[in-house]
Amino acid sequence: MTEETPGFDEQPDVPSGATPEDAEPKAAPSSAEDGAAPAGDTAAAQSAAQIAGLTAQLDQVRTALNERTADVQRLQAEYQNYRRRVERDRIAVKELAIANLLTELLPVLDDIGRAREHGELVGGFKSVAESLETVAAKMGLQQFGKEGEPFDPMIHEALMHSYAPDVTETTCVAILQPGYRFGERTIRPARVAVAEPQPGAQPAKGDETDAGTAAADDKESGGPDEG
């Protein structure tokens, strides 16, 4: 039995001629060098994935922004249409109210006109009447209807009818009540007496020409032949 000598560690067997460095165990190659290339590829892949995700989010944000912009534009267009419709309705209601007021004043204006025709529009009554007519005109009331104008059933109301030899078409020969309009609205048509051409009163143009030619021939020949 061999006794171990205390204080001496066992050394690995070293071949003869080898240096002490050869006796030290060699370290394994660094794993950092082996994993350097794969780590770079992974970082690039992660960066590309992040960019792709951010691009997708940006596209979503842009899509949402376009949708909200379209909603705002549609609401703005609807609001503008609403404003125009309200303004149009407001003007229509105002015009209707004025037209109704002027319609109620027409009998008074008729009385003023009859008083003027009979010479009764004098003194203070004349001033009041003229002021009322001025106010009505400022509000847009217009009087129409004159003798001699062609009859128009859209603005005239025929109360009397007759025939006349001196007219070539249906004509207003008397204004019984003047008509009134407010803007494009006819408040009351003019009430008139009309006359139509009298049947057979006007000779045809051909007959007039023949008669004129015959008269000229007689004049040149010294008159009609005596029997």
Side-chain angles (χ1 to χ4, degrees), residues 7-103:
F8 291 94
D9 295 332
E10 293 183 357
Q11 299 293 334
D13 295 337
V14 179
S16 59
T19 61
E21 289 78 3
D22 295 336
E24 297 178 357
K26 294 183 178 181
S30 175
S31 60
E33 296 179 357
D34 296 339
D41 295 340
T42 303
Q46 292 177 352
S47 299
Q50 291 178 354
I51 293 174
L54 293 176
T55 303
Q57 292 180 0
L58 180 60
D59 292 339
Q60 293 178 356
V61 171
R62 286 177 177 173
T63 301
L65 178 61
N66 292 334
E67 292 177 353
R68 299 293 85 78
T69 302
D71 292 341
V72 171
Q73 292 175 348
R74 183 171 59 255
L75 289 175
Q76 185 177 7
E78 291 177 357
Y79 177 68
Q80 293 296 334
N81 293 334
Y82 169 76
R83 287 187 59 185
R84 285 192 291 266
R85 185 169 61 254
V86 169
E87 182 65 17
R88 184 172 60 250
D89 293 343
R90 185 186 67 81
I91 294 175
V93 170
K94 180 181 177 181
E95 291 180 352
L96 180 60
I98 295 176
N100 291 335
L101 174 61
L102 294 176
T103 302

Side-chain angles (χ1 to χ4, degrees), residues 116 120-131 133:
R116 182 179 286 111
E120 299 176 356
L121 196 64
V122 294
F125 177 57
K126 179 180 180 181
S127 299
V128 174
E130 291 178 348
S131 298
E133 291 176 337

Side-chain angles (χ1 to χ4, degrees), residues 103-122 125-126 129-130 132-133 143 159 175-180 188 191:
T103 302
E104 296 297 327
L105 291 177
L106 293 186
V108 180
L109 296 176
D110 292 337
D111 292 339
I112 293 174
R114 284 191 289 267
R116 182 179 286 111
E117 291 176 357
H118 292 83
E120 299 176 356
L121 196 64
V122 294
F125 177 57
K126 179 180 180 181
E130 291 178 348
L132 180 60
E133 291 176 337
Q143 179 178 315
L159 300 183
I175 306 299
L176 306 179
Q177 265 188 342
Y180 290 96
R188 187 182 72 185
R191 293 166 180 170

